[in-house]
Amino acid sequence: MNVVVTGATGFVGTPLVRQLLAAGHAVSALTRDVQRAVRRLPARCKVQSWNPEQALDPSTLRGADAVVHLAGEGVADARWTAARKRAIHNSRVNTSLALVRAIGQLDAHARPRVLVSASAIGWYGNRGDAQLDEQSAPGTGFLADVCRDWERAVFEAQALNVRTVAVRIGVVLGRDGGALKPLLPLFRLGLGGRVGSGRQWFSWIHLSDLVGLLRHVVENPRAAGPVNGVAPEAVTNATFTAELGRVLHRPAVLPVPALALRAVLGEMSSALLASQRVESTAARQLGYSFQYPTLRSALDDLCTDQSHELLVEQRLARLPERVFPFFADPKNLERITPDFLRFKVLGTTTDQIGDGTLISYALRLHGIPLRWQSRIESWEPNRRFVDMQTHGPYTLWHHTHEFEPDDGGTIIRDRVRYRLPFGALGELLAGWLVRRDLDAVFDYRRQQIQELMR
């Protein structure tokens, strides 16, 4: 299938693009920031420009079999001022209307067969202990109003004979984003606890299952209407915090009173205090099998390893045998590393790079001089090599360089697993800064490789 994705560079969109490509689909991303998308998305993903504040050219969707609409302002990114609430509403409703209008301007035979849009369990409002499924009535409040208008806009596509699905997404749990990102450092320091009374229901989903469910409803012709994107096991907030403390071997006894939460977050606190006991009825009826059906299985997967992953791809119009030799010369690392690191190769333990070679470097990180040594763990000319830090600023740095043939060219893929020193304290104080620096380093690296190997 040819699949068009909006919001492709987001926390959910990027892994969805990767999974769709791995499944053999062709994927195009519609984005406001083309250069950022090119840097963040897989090399085989086509990137097209679209300013969501403007109409969408229908030709952009010509040839698409499916559209997945994930774009929208982050609900928890800032305090809910009047302007922020308008942005949250309009970024979802107006973009949905623009997509449906563009689909409607295509000839009937040229329209996508399916439109899948994100929605949210905010649709249900604050419902106490009531068990909620896709047939339950909408609730009240700001988020319920947004979701109602959002879905109304999306389901206009049904009149165009387009199969339409709205996935009402619960609280998403993932390693480097979503609900766990701000919580993990605090809980690892023993500073976590229930929110408010803790009796409010918490309907969650593992990121891998959300991506899998989105792909499932794209591919399954029986999927239509609302589908709750939640795991089968809803829990109370108190149960969630206790389970998170158990997995991290830390107490979770410091509650956040509802009054304090309202004072700090204002109206946005209602999203954290709302009780939504949501069932994944439609997903099960459609035959989706959850990888992580229980909270324990999800948290065991996400929390036992404190390492992070960075994945970057680019395509060069050269075959691997013409690309790999560049990386076989350690001095070329200096040419593809930004000046702010003052990076120098000091030496190697062998004349030719190979398994077991040690490479020593010097650099400056935010003005602090550092020495770094890595060992080549695996060396497969023209295919891949792996280096691992033996001495340096990280407690783990494992970098896999892959060179994949691609239609007369090469896809260079960098997979990095890293872990910061000082555990949770290091994450809390410097995690954001390290990620920013790594993004800058690999953005520069990508640009330089592209320039040097035209």
Side-chain angles (χ1 to χ4, degrees), residues 169-380:
I169 300 173
V171 179
V172 184
L173 305 181
R175 277 197 173 83
D176 287 317
L180 287 179
K181 185 175 182 180
L183 291 180
L184 280 176
L186 293 174
F187 272 74
R188 284 191 168 116
L189 290 171
L191 301 177
R194 60 175 170 77
V195 174
S197 70
R199 292 192 296 271
Q200 66 272 30
W201 285 92
F202 180 88
S203 296
W204 57 275
I205 187 168
H206 191 295
L207 176 60
S208 295
D209 273 320
L210 177 55
V211 169
L213 180 60
L214 287 165
R215 176 187 162 196
H216 188 78
V217 298
V218 166
E219 296 174 340
N220 189 334
R222 295 192 297 115
V227 174
N228 289 332
V230 296
E233 181 190 72
V235 297
T236 63
N237 177 266
T239 299
F240 171 78
T241 54
E243 190 66 20
L244 184 55
R246 180 201 66 80
V247 171
L248 299 175
H249 306 291
R250 294 290 186 275
V253 295
L254 297 177
V256 181
L259 188 63
L261 200 65
R262 291 189 184 100
V264 173
L265 299 180
E267 187 182 357
M268 189 168 67
S269 64
S270 63
L272 298 176
L273 297 170
S275 182
Q276 295 159 336
R277 188 178 185 180
V278 182
E279 303 285 335
S280 52
T281 304
R284 293 198 302 271
Q285 290 173 345
L286 290 167
Y288 181 73
S289 177
F290 285 85
Q291 292 178 260
Y292 302 98
T294 65
L295 182 63
R296 174 164 293 200
S297 64
L299 293 181
D300 281 345
D301 175 69
L302 295 169
C303 300
T304 53
D305 183 356
Q306 294 189 48
S307 65
H308 303 275
E309 183 175 85
L310 181 68
L311 181 57
V312 181
E313 290 184 9
Q314 68 186 107
R315 188 185 187 282
L316 298 176
R318 294 187 179 193
L319 294 171
E321 53 265 31
R322 294 188 59 212
V323 173
F324 192 90
F326 178 87
F327 294 88
D329 182 352
K331 294 297 288 183
N332 282 331
L333 287 175
E334 296 178 5
R335 303 173 68 186
I336 59 176
T337 303
D339 292 341
F340 73 80
L341 286 178
R342 306 284 182 86
F343 185 85
K344 296 292 181 186
V345 176
L346 301 179
T348 63
T349 57
T350 60
D351 292 335
Q352 298 292 321
I353 302 298
D355 291 347
T357 298
L358 297 175
I359 308 174
S360 299
Y361 322 94
L363 67 152
R364 298 184 73 86
L365 192 59
H366 297 285
I368 302 172
L370 296 170
R371 293 295 178 96
W372 186 322
Q373 184 184 75
S374 62
R375 179 176 63 246
I376 301 298
E377 296 288 301
S378 173
W379 186 260
E380 302 173 51

Side-chain angles (χ1 to χ4, degrees), residues 38 41-44 312-327 332 336 382 401-414 442-454:
V38 168
L41 294 174
R44 289 194 178 96
V312 181
E313 290 184 9
Q314 68 186 107
R315 188 185 187 282
L316 298 176
R318 294 187 179 193
L319 294 171
E321 53 265 31
R322 294 188 59 212
V323 173
F324 192 90
F326 178 87
F327 294 88
N332 282 331
I336 59 176
N382 303 331
H401 312 248
E402 299 174 350
F403 303 84
E404 180 182 337
D406 181 69
D407 193 24
T410 301
I411 291 177
I412 301 176
R413 186 176 298 112
D414 291 279
F442 278 88
D443 284 350
Y444 181 87
R445 176 189 179 96
R446 182 185 182 284
Q447 293 166 9
Q448 288 298 105
I449 290 172
Q450 208 73 37
E451 182 70 23
L452 292 167
M453 306 191 73
R454 284 182 178 179

Side-chain angles (χ1 to χ4, degrees), residues 14-37:
T14 300
L16 175 63
V17 168
R18 296 192 187 283
Q19 186 169 126
L20 289 170
L21 288 168
H25 300 298
V27 181
S28 298
L30 297 185
T31 180
R32 185 195 301 268
D33 188 341
V34 170
Q35 291 305 313
R36 180 175 183 272

Side-chain angles (χ1 to χ4, degrees), residues 71 109 115 128 180 222 242 392 407 420 428:
H109 69 274
L115 169 62
L180 287 179
R222 295 192 297 115
D407 193 24
L420 302 187
L428 191 64

Side-chain angles (χ1 to χ4, degrees), residues 42-255:
R44 289 194 178 96
C45 179
K46 180 181 177 182
V47 176
Q48 302 180 84
S49 176
W50 177 37
N51 181 347
E53 297 170 5
Q54 299 174 358
L56 177 63
D57 184 346
S59 66
T60 306
L61 301 179
R62 187 167 287 118
D65 300 299
V67 176
V68 180
H69 180 36
L70 303 176
E73 293 285 336
V75 170
D77 289 353
R79 193 181 178 96
W80 287 359
T81 62
R84 183 66 186 170
K85 287 166 73 173
R86 282 195 300 274
I88 290 170
H89 179 278
N90 294 343
S91 67
R92 288 159 171 77
V93 177
N94 293 351
T95 54
S96 300
L97 289 171
L99 277 169
V100 173
R101 288 184 188 125
I103 291 171
Q105 291 170 23
L106 293 169
D107 293 337
H109 69 274
R111 292 171 186 162
R113 297 195 300 272
V114 57
L115 169 62
V116 175
S117 176
S119 182
I121 61 171
W123 161 277
Y124 300 106
N126 185 2
R127 304 289 281 275
D129 293 330
Q131 291 187 306
L132 306 165
D133 65 14
E134 289 83 359
Q135 305 307 313
S136 300
T140 59
F142 169 63
L143 289 181
D145 292 344
V146 169
C147 291
R148 184 192 62 243
D149 294 347
W150 191 3
E151 291 191 18
R152 181 183 296 127
V154 168
F155 284 120
E156 287 189 12
Q158 290 177 324
L160 302 173
N161 201 30
V162 173
R163 179 169 63 86
T164 308
V165 185
V167 180
R168 294 173 181 164
I169 300 173
V171 179
V172 184
L173 305 181
R175 277 197 173 83
D176 287 317
L180 287 179
K181 185 175 182 180
L183 291 180
L184 280 176
L186 293 174
F187 272 74
R188 284 191 168 116
L189 290 171
L191 301 177
R194 60 175 170 77
V195 174
S197 70
R199 292 192 296 271
Q200 66 272 30
W201 285 92
F202 180 88
S203 296
W204 57 275
I205 187 168
H206 191 295
L207 176 60
S208 295
D209 273 320
L210 177 55
V211 169
L213 180 60
L214 287 165
R215 176 187 162 196
H216 188 78
V217 298
V218 166
E219 296 174 340
N220 189 334
R222 295 192 297 115
V227 174
N228 289 332
V230 296
E233 181 190 72
V235 297
T236 63
N237 177 266
T239 299
F240 171 78
T241 54
E243 190 66 20
L244 184 55
R246 180 201 66 80
V247 171
L248 299 175
H249 306 291
R250 294 290 186 275
V253 295
L254 297 177

